[in-house]
Amino acid sequence: MSVHVLENTTDRAIAFSSRRRASLKERSARLFATCAQGAWLLLAATPVIVVICALKG
């Protein structure tokens, strides 16, 4: 009976660690996507900022 409990505990620990790794991977992907969106936003805003600065100056 104790062997069954030990196996069950080990299975739960493995399942938890694999969920944790997937979660880290998902968070990393989300962070990368957010940074990429920010870069595109900055790239799109640059000409507008240049024109506004040129009109003021």
Side-chain angles (χ1 to χ4, degrees):
M1 186 160 180
S2 63
V3 174
H4 177 67
V5 171
L6 182 60
E7 288 176 359
N8 195 9
T9 305
T10 305
D11 290 342
R12 273 195 236 143
I14 291 170
F16 178 74
S17 68
S18 66
R19 272 188 283 153
R20 191 166 173 85
R21 271 188 241 128
S23 178
L24 179 60
K25 188 183 288 187
E26 289 170 0
R27 283 186 281 163
S28 299
R30 181 179 291 270
L31 178 64
F32 180 79
T34 302
C35 291
Q37 287 175 344
W40 278 111
L41 182 64
L42 184 62
L43 188 64
T46 301
V48 175
I49 294 169
V50 169
V51 168
I52 290 173
C53 289
L55 290 175
K56 283 186 175 183

